[in-house]
Amino acid sequence: MNKMEIIEMLAPLGYNCRSGLSRTGFRGITVHNTSNWNKGANAIAHANLLRGSWKSNYTSWHYVIDDTRAVRCIPENEVAWCAGDGRGDGNMKTINIEICDNSDGNILQATENAAELCAQILQRYGVSNASAYLYQHNHWTGKDCPYDIRRGNPCDWNTFVNKVQQKLNGGTSSSGADQIIRVGSKVKFNGVFKINEVIKPNDKYPNGAVGSYATCYGAPCDANDYIPCGPLATCNADGSNPNYNGVLRVGGYWTCDKIFNVVATDLPTKYLKNGVATLEADGVRFRCDCGPLYEVSNN
Ligand SMILES: [Zn+2]
């Protein structure tokens, strides 16, 4: 398949489309078709609706996907109003994906991309049995959605679930990792990272923490996916002007020259090809994809 890109065009906070409520658990993914057959009604067009004429509606989705790309409109750890079940589990505990069926798009490829995105998400949540974590919108409210898949366009539901399962199964066959980080290694962060979320000091992170999509391949989905603020420096997008006393803000950037101990690792998978390292700083343990890390000498 073509390589699908995932981009982010978040819906604006402070409007009905984006409550800012935290998702209250993870029961899986709810799959929809947009049932918007207008020409040009692709993923970016739908993302723009949430930033424009639809922003005051109680309607939104985490991802909208077409034959070229997936667009993240609501962070995975927030609630999107998509399943139609109010404060039920469809809205509160699943990630909602809209597959575009615009008449000038390729629905075969869009649906294939959706299966790929589902597999990536389930993989991140440690799911191995796709069928237990995939829901039609119809499951929650009886709505005739996903409209196309329910009519076998381009495939029926069982075929879609099997596609996701096959992609999940392929997940552990070969890692293709750039490097494997081992327990006991000392590592540094390699690069400059955008700050997508900031969390206030709490019991786990006494100095607060930042969430960066680049360090966890998607929105932080677990309390351990945040990086303590203590060791981080604010900087410009190109890494210049690092300031270890700077205030870390959403939309800004951080870099870090400090050395961390690797205290645990998760093995690479197809979707996290470099594996995940558990690091420790300021007595706080947190998880990070190994991709942005490099080993430094133990001496
Ligand atoms: Zn739907």
Side-chain angles (χ1 to χ4, degrees):
M1 61 174 279
N2 300 329
K3 183 157 171 49
M4 169 193 61
E5 67 169 351
I6 302 176
I7 66 170
E8 184 165 75
M9 294 173 63
L10 289 180
L13 273 168
Y15 291 90
N16 292 341
C17 69
R18 186 170 170 198
S19 64
L21 284 175
S22 293
R23 202 158 40 73
T24 57
F26 182 72
R27 277 192 61 181
I29 299 169
T30 302
V31 177
H32 309 254
N33 281 119
T34 56
S35 296
N36 182 349
W37 299 283
N38 294 327
K39 282 187 180 172
N42 58 18
I44 285 179
H46 279 85
N48 279 326
L49 284 173
L50 293 189
R51 295 173 159 203
S53 56
W54 287 15
K55 65 187 174 191
S56 296
N57 299 345
Y58 287 100
T59 300
S60 49
W61 44 80
H62 294 95
Y63 292 92
V64 58
I65 189 161
D66 62 23
D67 50 17
T68 310
R69 61 179 64 82
V71 183
R72 185 188 294 124
C73 297
I74 302 285
E76 285 187 13
N77 59 353
E78 291 182 20
V79 168
W81 301 121
C82 202
D85 65 342
R87 300 275 174 132
D89 282 1
N91 277 335
M92 300 304 288
K93 295 185 179 176
T94 73
I95 292 171
N96 283 274
I97 294 178
E98 289 275 1
I99 305 170
C100 292
D101 46 18
N102 47 308
S103 58
D104 56 345
N106 177 342
I107 196 166
L108 180 62
Q109 187 62 51
T111 306
E112 187 72 24
N113 287 350
E116 175 69 22
L117 178 63
C118 286
Q120 288 187 20
I121 292 169
L122 295 180
Q123 181 83 24
R124 266 197 278 115
Y125 283 80
V127 170
S128 56
N129 174 12
S131 66
Y133 286 84
L134 292 174
Y135 299 95
Q136 300 183 37
H137 181 180
N138 174 268
H139 173 86
W140 304 111
T141 63
K143 185 178 176 182
D144 190 7
C145 178
Y147 184 91
D148 297 278
I149 288 177
R150 289 171 62 79
R151 284 156 182 77
N153 180 26
C155 65
D156 65 18
W157 179 248
N158 286 339
T159 304
F160 180 80
V161 172
N162 286 337
K163 276 179 193 285
V164 177
Q165 185 65 53
Q166 281 171 16
K167 291 171 187 293
L168 271 180
N169 292 347
T172 50
S173 55
S174 81
S175 75
D178 300 331
Q179 59 175 350
I180 306 287
I181 303 267
R182 293 155 304 171
V183 173
S185 296
K186 294 186 185 304
V187 296
K188 283 185 175 184
F189 282 97
N190 184 16
V192 175
F193 304 94
K194 187 164 185 185
I195 301 169
N196 300 104
E197 298 181 33
V198 172
I199 62 171
K200 293 185 179 133
N202 59 28
D203 286 347
K204 176 172 170 71
Y205 295 103
N207 298 313
V210 302
S212 291
Y213 298 153
T215 60
C216 51
Y217 272 72
C221 51
D222 184 282
N224 299 312
D225 289 342
Y226 296 86
I227 302 170
C229 289
L232 307 185
T234 58
C235 65
N236 297 327
D238 63 359
S240 61
N241 200 23
N243 177 4
Y244 282 92
N245 295 315
V247 178
L248 297 148
R249 291 197 172 88
V250 171
Y253 295 87
W254 63 268
T255 188
C256 182
D257 197 36
K258 303 200 172 163
I259 295 172
F260 297 86
N261 292 314
V262 177
V263 295
T265 56
D266 295 348
L267 288 174
T269 65
K270 180 176 176 187
Y271 301 107
L272 290 167
K273 70 187 177 88
N274 299 304
V276 175
T278 299
L279 308 181
E280 194 167 82
D282 299 345
V284 179
R285 289 186 173 197
F286 60 98
R287 285 158 46 89
C288 177
D289 187 274
C290 290
L293 301 176
Y294 68 100
E295 277 189 282
V296 296
S297 163
N298 266 312
N299 301 326

